[in-house]
Amino acid sequence: GTGANRPRPRAERAEIMARGALLVLCGLQLALGLLTPGPTRTRGRPAGASLNMAAALRPGSNVALVTPMTETNEVDVPALRRLVQWHVDEGSDGLVILGTTGEASTLSMDERAAVIEATVEVVDGRVPVVVGTGTIEPGAVVSACKHAKKHGADACLVVTPYYVKPPQRALVEHFSTIADEGGLPVVLYNVPGRTGVDMTPATIAQLAQHPNVVGVKDATGDLSRVRELRDLCGEDFGVFSGEDDSGMEFVSLGGDGVISVTANVAPRKMHAMLAAARDGRAAEAEELNAQLDLLHRNLFLESNPIPAKAALRLMGRIGGGIRPPLCALDPALEPQIAQALAAAGVEVVGA
């Protein structure tokens, strides 16, 4: 019934003979050294994967950028362009846009496109631009990744699905789907304090085997994970902190850098501090970090990015807009923000 023994048509027999002859020829060429075999595929990260990490996130200070808004809460693209140029000039090693700090969940797709395009145009390839694309449903994440790629992003930052608390095997499936289909290098984002789920180092190590998963932003605050992640994931995998107050220690222990809120207002000093920590210049790193310490703490007096936007307003770099459900900083806290800026040597307009 299957027809397996049916005589083959003349054309099919000729094609099979031609394929056989080609295989024989290739075998002879290999034997004579005229043709070199392709690379042997082995388990683990493929060779050259570190190039993806370098394109996605550079070691050092990658600013988790705010989205400037007017007093009527419209996205302020001219202010954004000025802010991006300032970060490039001040030495930020990369820009991470449209994350929590960028109020991404309140922006429309058209507004997201405008933010990405303006950032990419001003940066002009000088530093990587990483776009936050995470949400709960994997298809929506893939769509956001494709949208970011279309508008010029270098990589995507994808948070664990929040609120639904998926088990570890589901996280592997979720991120593998995004890495397979999203079209951009993926930086994992583990922030259990906001999402309700902690992605374990073992799960991160499993995902690190995927050639499109190039790094992790770890916002657990657990410094014991730095060496564990490095040992499990290898030197080519980017290991970044999401906690400014322990960023120096994180890098000193072997991390690559910080995706930083503090860098919004003190980019040059954050870059210098993390470079010193990375290079083993401990005394210099500690001295710089001491100047930043009050910023690390006071930029979280209220929910991020409320204090960061207030600080930038005091510096004269953006307007006062921030979208609901957030609101402007409690005026009673403004002196503490000004004090932190002064401690870091940051000028306040009119001060």
Side-chain angles (χ1 to χ4, degrees):
T2 63
N5 297 319
R6 186 180 65 240
R8 298 179 184 275
R10 183 187 300 272
E12 189 175 344
R13 291 200 306 272
E15 182 181 356
I16 291 169
M17 290 174 67
R19 288 178 180 173
L22 181 60
L23 287 172
V24 171
L25 178 61
C26 288
L28 285 170
Q29 289 178 320
L30 282 169
L32 293 171
L34 300 174
L35 184 67
T36 56
T40 302
R41 294 299 296 271
T42 57
R43 292 177 61 84
R45 279 186 83 71
S50 59
L51 297 177
N52 284 336
M53 196 278 275
L57 278 176
R58 292 180 186 169
S61 176
N62 291 265
V63 59
L65 196 68
V66 303
T67 301
M69 294 177 185
T70 67
E71 300 297 333
T72 56
N73 287 343
E74 300 298 318
V75 173
D76 190 343
V77 174
L80 173 66
R81 288 177 174 274
R82 292 191 297 271
L83 200 61
V84 169
Q85 183 61 57
W86 180 61
H87 275 285
V88 174
D89 293 342
E90 291 289 295
S92 286
D93 297 290
L95 278 74
V96 181
I97 62 174
L98 297 177
T100 304
T101 311
E103 300 173 80
S105 60
T106 70
L107 270 61
S108 70
M109 293 307 289
D110 286 345
E111 289 171 326
R112 287 176 61 90
V115 169
I116 299 169
E117 287 180 356
T119 304
V120 168
E121 184 177 337
V122 173
V123 164
D124 194 25
R126 290 175 288 177
V127 296
V129 176
V130 183
V131 176
T133 58
T135 186
I136 295 174
E137 201 275 309
V141 182
V142 168
S143 295
C145 290
K146 291 179 176 178
H147 179 267
K149 181 179 181 180
K150 174 184 175 183
H151 294 286
D154 294 303
C156 56
L157 178 70
V158 184
V159 71
T160 54
Y162 38 86
Y163 191 73
V164 294
K165 298 184 178 180
Q168 298 299 306
R169 65 185 183 278
L171 291 175
V172 172
E173 181 67 24
H174 177 80
F175 284 105
S176 296
T177 297
I178 293 154
D180 284 341
E181 300 176 14
L184 283 172
V186 175
V187 180
L188 311 171
Y189 182 15
N190 187 34
V191 54
R194 281 186 178 267
T195 64
V197 60
D198 183 8
M199 185 161 45
T200 67
T203 296
I204 294 167
Q206 186 175 346
L207 287 164
Q209 302 302 308
H210 195 296
N212 289 339
V213 177
V214 298
V216 62
K217 175 184 177 182
D218 179 276
T220 63
D222 182 358
L223 291 173
S224 70
R225 291 194 177 190
V226 182
R227 179 44 53 189
E228 185 177 8
L229 286 168
R230 181 61 73 213
D231 291 343
L232 288 171
C233 301
E235 294 298 323
D236 289 343
F237 188 75
V239 179
F240 291 81
S241 172
E243 301 288 333
D244 281 298
D245 59 355
S246 58
M248 182 189 72
E249 293 87 350
F250 189 99
V251 171
S252 299
L253 290 168
D256 290 299
V258 180
I259 297 177
S260 169
V261 174
T262 299
N264 273 284
V265 298
R268 185 178 295 275
K269 197 157 285 187
M270 276 297 295
H271 167 83
M273 183 272 287
L274 292 173
R278 201 169 62 251
D279 295 342
R281 293 178 274 122
E284 181 183 348
E286 288 171 5
E287 181 182 353
L288 290 167
N289 198 51
Q291 298 169 34
L292 294 166
D293 183 62
L294 202 55
L295 273 179
H296 296 331
R297 289 183 279 128
N298 287 7
L299 288 180
F300 293 91
L301 287 171
E302 290 191 317
S303 297
N304 181 45
I306 293 172
K309 283 194 137 181
L312 286 164
R313 178 180 53 78
L314 289 173
M315 295 165 63
R317 296 208 169 269
I318 65 171
I322 188 166
R323 284 193 178 172
L326 298 182
C327 61
L329 183 76
D330 181 345
L333 298 176
E334 194 167 294
Q336 294 181 63
I337 300 298
Q339 180 189 9
L341 291 170
V346 178
E347 291 186 10
V348 173
V349 173

